[in-house]
PDB file of all heavy atoms in Angstrom:
ATOM      1  N   ASP B 976      13.480  48.785  42.306  1.00 84.00           N
ATOM      2  CA  ASP B 976      12.574  48.848  43.570  1.00 84.00           C
ATOM      3  C   ASP B 976      11.609  47.753  43.472  1.00 84.00           C
ATOM      4  O   ASP B 976      10.352  47.984  43.133  1.00 84.00           O
ATOM      5  CB  ASP B 976      11.956  50.238  43.565  1.00 84.00           C
ATOM      6  CG  ASP B 976      11.145  50.413  44.820  1.00 84.00           C
ATOM      7  OD1 ASP B 976      11.350  49.717  45.755  1.00 84.00           O
ATOM      8  OD2 ASP B 976      10.206  51.323  44.800  1.00 84.00           O
ATOM      9  N   PRO B 977      12.028  46.505  43.789  1.00 90.00           N
ATOM     10  CA  PRO B 977      11.055  45.332  43.550  1.00 90.00           C
ATOM     11  C   PRO B 977       9.904  45.445  44.547  1.00 90.00           C
ATOM     12  O   PRO B 977      10.005  45.825  45.717  1.00 90.00           O
ATOM     13  CB  PRO B 977      11.940  44.162  43.883  1.00 90.00           C
ATOM     14  CG  PRO B 977      13.153  44.573  44.628  1.00 90.00           C
ATOM     15  CD  PRO B 977      13.301  46.051  44.262  1.00 90.00           C
ATOM     16  N   LYS B 978       8.775  44.917  44.135  1.00 91.00           N
ATOM     17  CA  LYS B 978       7.519  44.905  44.899  1.00 91.00           C
ATOM     18  C   LYS B 978       7.557  43.624  45.830  1.00 91.00           C
ATOM     19  O   LYS B 978       8.238  42.632  45.454  1.00 91.00           O
ATOM     20  CB  LYS B 978       6.376  44.887  44.053  1.00 91.00           C
ATOM     21  CG  LYS B 978       6.312  45.936  42.932  1.00 91.00           C
ATOM     22  CD  LYS B 978       5.893  47.293  43.489  1.00 91.00           C
ATOM     23  CE  LYS B 978       5.623  48.370  42.519  1.00 91.00           C
ATOM     24  NZ  LYS B 978       6.639  48.616  41.480  1.00 91.00           N
ATOM     25  N   PRO B 979       6.775  43.676  46.916  1.00 92.00           N
ATOM     26  CA  PRO B 979       6.715  42.507  47.753  1.00 92.00           C
ATOM     27  C   PRO B 979       6.033  41.267  47.052  1.00 92.00           C
ATOM     28  O   PRO B 979       5.107  41.440  46.325  1.00 92.00           O
ATOM     29  CB  PRO B 979       5.918  42.857  48.940  1.00 92.00           C
ATOM     30  CG  PRO B 979       5.498  44.276  48.741  1.00 92.00           C
ATOM     31  CD  PRO B 979       5.997  44.744  47.430  1.00 92.00           C
ATOM     32  N   LEU B 980       6.635  40.065  47.274  1.00 93.00           N
ATOM     33  CA  LEU B 980       6.083  38.859  46.573  1.00 93.00           C
ATOM     34  C   LEU B 980       4.673  38.579  46.891  1.00 93.00           C
ATOM     35  O   LEU B 980       3.839  38.415  45.959  1.00 93.00           O
ATOM     36  CB  LEU B 980       7.017  37.675  47.006  1.00 93.00           C
ATOM     37  CG  LEU B 980       6.517  36.304  46.370  1.00 93.00           C
ATOM     38  CD1 LEU B 980       6.606  36.343  44.897  1.00 93.00           C
ATOM     39  CD2 LEU B 980       7.398  35.151  46.923  1.00 93.00           C
ATOM     40  N   LEU B 981       4.255  38.585  48.175  1.00 93.00           N
ATOM     41  CA  LEU B 981       2.906  38.195  48.570  1.00 93.00           C
ATOM     42  C   LEU B 981       1.807  39.113  47.954  1.00 93.00           C
ATOM     43  O   LEU B 981       0.801  38.747  47.393  1.00 93.00           O
ATOM     44  CB  LEU B 981       2.787  38.141  50.042  1.00 93.00           C
ATOM     45  CG  LEU B 981       3.445  36.910  50.644  1.00 93.00           C
ATOM     46  CD1 LEU B 981       3.292  36.891  52.164  1.00 93.00           C
ATOM     47  CD2 LEU B 981       2.915  35.548  50.075  1.00 93.00           C
ATOM     48  N   LEU B 982       2.144  40.458  47.990  1.00 93.00           N
ATOM     49  CA  LEU B 982       1.230  41.415  47.443  1.00 93.00           C
ATOM     50  C   LEU B 982       1.151  41.228  45.931  1.00 93.00           C
ATOM     51  O   LEU B 982       0.030  41.185  45.375  1.00 93.00           O
ATOM     52  CB  LEU B 982       1.700  42.776  47.722  1.00 93.00           C
ATOM     53  CG  LEU B 982       0.812  43.963  47.203  1.00 93.00           C
ATOM     54  CD1 LEU B 982      -0.548  43.952  47.895  1.00 93.00           C
ATOM     55  CD2 LEU B 982       1.464  45.325  47.357  1.00 93.00           C
ATOM     56  N   THR B 983       2.199  40.939  45.274  1.00 93.00           N
ATOM     57  CA  THR B 983       2.218  40.675  43.832  1.00 93.00           C
ATOM     58  C   THR B 983       1.354  39.509  43.505  1.00 93.00           C
ATOM     59  O   THR B 983       0.522  39.572  42.569  1.00 93.00           O
ATOM     60  CB  THR B 983       3.666  40.467  43.268  1.00 93.00           C
ATOM     61  OG1 THR B 983       4.464  41.508  43.789  1.00 93.00           O
ATOM     62  CG2 THR B 983       3.663  40.389  41.766  1.00 93.00           C
ATOM     63  N   LEU B 984       1.538  38.396  44.256  1.00 94.00           N
ATOM     64  CA  LEU B 984       0.748  37.174  43.965  1.00 94.00           C
ATOM     65  C   LEU B 984      -0.751  37.468  44.162  1.00 94.00           C
ATOM     66  O   LEU B 984      -1.578  36.966  43.479  1.00 94.00           O
ATOM     67  CB  LEU B 984       1.253  36.019  44.823  1.00 94.00           C
ATOM     68  CG  LEU B 984       2.624  35.531  44.535  1.00 94.00           C
ATOM     69  CD1 LEU B 984       3.019  34.363  45.554  1.00 94.00           C
ATOM     70  CD2 LEU B 984       2.684  34.997  43.113  1.00 94.00           C
ATOM     71  N   ALA B 985      -1.052  38.253  45.269  1.00 94.00           N
ATOM     72  CA  ALA B 985      -2.482  38.546  45.522  1.00 94.00           C
ATOM     73  C   ALA B 985      -3.085  39.375  44.426  1.00 94.00           C
ATOM     74  O   ALA B 985      -4.203  39.086  43.956  1.00 94.00           O
ATOM     75  CB  ALA B 985      -2.559  39.215  46.858  1.00 94.00           C
ATOM     76  N   LEU B 986      -2.312  40.373  44.009  1.00 93.00           N
ATOM     77  CA  LEU B 986      -2.820  41.275  42.895  1.00 93.00           C
ATOM     78  C   LEU B 986      -2.973  40.504  41.577  1.00 93.00           C
ATOM     79  O   LEU B 986      -3.925  40.732  40.827  1.00 93.00           O
ATOM     80  CB  LEU B 986      -1.978  42.490  42.747  1.00 93.00           C
ATOM     81  CG  LEU B 986      -2.100  43.465  43.945  1.00 93.00           C
ATOM     82  CD1 LEU B 986      -1.118  44.668  43.829  1.00 93.00           C
ATOM     83  CD2 LEU B 986      -3.553  43.951  44.139  1.00 93.00           C
ATOM     84  N   LEU B 987      -2.056  39.553  41.347  1.00 93.00           N
ATOM     85  CA  LEU B 987      -2.103  38.747  40.137  1.00 93.00           C
ATOM     86  C   LEU B 987      -3.389  37.881  40.174  1.00 93.00           C
ATOM     87  O   LEU B 987      -4.075  37.691  39.152  1.00 93.00           O
ATOM     88  CB  LEU B 987      -0.916  37.877  39.961  1.00 93.00           C
ATOM     89  CG  LEU B 987       0.315  38.559  39.357  1.00 93.00           C
ATOM     90  CD1 LEU B 987       1.483  37.590  39.394  1.00 93.00           C
ATOM     91  CD2 LEU B 987       0.075  39.015  37.957  1.00 93.00           C
TER      92      LEU B 987
END
Side-chain angles (χ1 to χ4, degrees):
Chain B
D976 183 19
K978 309 284 190 304
L980 176 63
L981 287 179
L982 179 67
T983 308
L984 292 178
L986 291 176
L987 279 176

